[in-house]
Every structure is written in structure tokens, then in C-alpha cells.
Amino acid sequence: RLDIINSRNVNTVIIALYYKGAISGLHSVVDSKLDFVEGFRRLILSLIKEGKRVVVVYPIPKPEKPIPKYLIRMGEDGERELEKLSFGSLQESSEIRRMLDSITSKKFIPVKTEDVFCPNIDSLRCMVKMDDNILYSDGSHLSEFGADLLMQHIQKRLFKND
């Protein structure tokens, strides 16, 4: 509700959403995706123009397979197979990422999820485990450990810009 966001008492707006879900709810995928990206950009810029600090969590990379089931089914071979697992969602969200990367206002605080999960984003590979902890509970959701990592990253970005 924009009336709440436009309140003078609100200084910071945090936007985190399921981008693919927002886009897939639209009719014509090609046109709608471009419309969504442009509309999202206009929303961010209008909030900034209103003097709001805008924090946007980038799309979370999604593995192509449900990680825990994959590990159980594959055993030790699954560990090696995970190194080959790609994250097609990185390509799916490239337009949104490019648009967000283009916003240069000091009031815009990008939270790049790939900084947490994909240290080598160019390879379209991301981590699925860290320190023996699985980062995903299935093909679409972070595990508690993965969510904690992301939340720590969000907090760092918020307080870095204070």
C-alpha cells in the first residue's frame, strides 16, 4: 500500500519479492516481463524521489534441482554432481539484475544475493553448501542456514549505508 509507504514516518522501504512469481502472474510473458522490470524501476525511483531509502533484495538464485533430495539420492556422487549443477534462474533474472544495477542513487541500497550464494556468478554456478550446511531446503526455498546468511548480508548492507 503506497499510502503507508508515502507516510513521512517511513524513511526506509525494503523490497524483497519472488520475482518469477510476480512475472509469471502476468499474461504475455515477454511483454509483461519488460513491463514489470520498467514498472519496478519507476517504483524504486519514485520512492527515492520522495526521499525514501530503498533497499532491494535481488532475486535469490535457485538451483535446478531440489538439493537435499539430490544429495540423499546421489550419496557421495551427488556431492560431485552438485559442482556441475547450474542455476538457470541467474539468466532468467538478468533483466531485473541489470535494471537494479543501473540505479545509482545513494538512497538505493542493493542487496545482491549472488554475493552470498554465487562467488563466481559468471559461471552460472552457485554454492549449495557452506561448512557442511545445505543452503536450500528444496529447489525454491532457502534452508534456515541459507536464510540466516542472507539476513546477515541484508543487515550488513543496511548498516553500511547508515
Side-chain angles (χ1 to χ4, degrees):
R1 296 194 22 198
L2 290 179
D3 57 324
I4 294 171
I5 293 172
N6 288 328
S7 164
R8 291 183 186 175
N9 298 329
V10 175
N11 298 317
T12 301
V13 177
I14 300 174
I15 303 173
L17 60 104
Y18 177 47
Y19 293 89
K20 186 174 181 178
I23 292 168
S24 66
L26 303 170
H27 299 298
S28 165
V29 175
V30 175
D31 293 339
S32 297
K33 188 173 189 178
L34 296 175
D35 291 344
F36 171 80
V37 171
E38 182 54 30
F40 190 37
R41 181 181 164 282
R42 284 194 311 266
L43 171 66
I44 294 167
L45 294 176
S46 69
L47 289 168
I48 291 169
K49 186 177 179 183
E50 291 294 320
K52 309 295 184 195
R53 183 170 74 151
V54 181
V55 180
V56 177
V57 179
Y58 276 48
I60 296 172
K62 287 180 24 179
E64 293 176 344
K65 298 183 182 189
I67 302 305
K69 290 179 185 174
Y70 199 69
L71 284 172
I72 291 167
R73 199 172 35 228
M74 301 298 288
E76 287 183 21
D77 290 337
E79 293 273 348
R80 286 188 289 278
E81 288 297 312
L82 285 177
E83 295 172 11
K84 301 174 192 170
L85 187 63
S86 71
F87 282 65
S89 64
L90 291 171
Q91 287 180 310
E92 288 174 9
S93 63
S94 62
E95 293 95 347
I96 292 168
R97 290 173 188 282
R98 275 194 301 274
M99 179 276 291
L100 293 171
D101 288 344
S102 74
I103 298 174
T104 58
S105 171
K106 290 185 180 190
K107 292 242 177 218
F108 177 68
I109 302 170
V111 178
K112 296 185 176 188
T113 55
E114 61 269 22
D115 292 348
V116 176
F117 302 106
C118 312
N120 186 8
I121 193 168
D122 294 334
S123 69
L124 297 182
R125 303 272 191 267
C126 300
M127 296 184 301
V128 294
K129 284 178 66 178
M130 180 185 284
D131 302 327
D132 290 329
N133 293 295
I134 297 174
L135 300 176
Y136 295 87
S137 61
D138 59 26
S140 299
H141 299 92
L142 295 174
S143 66
E144 186 176 339
F145 182 82
D148 285 344
L149 280 177
L150 180 55
M151 187 49 112
Q152 289 170 23
H153 186 60
I154 292 169
Q155 289 172 339
K156 280 183 203 170
R157 295 292 298 137
L158 274 171
F159 296 120
K160 177 182 176 187
N161 287 59
D162 272 347

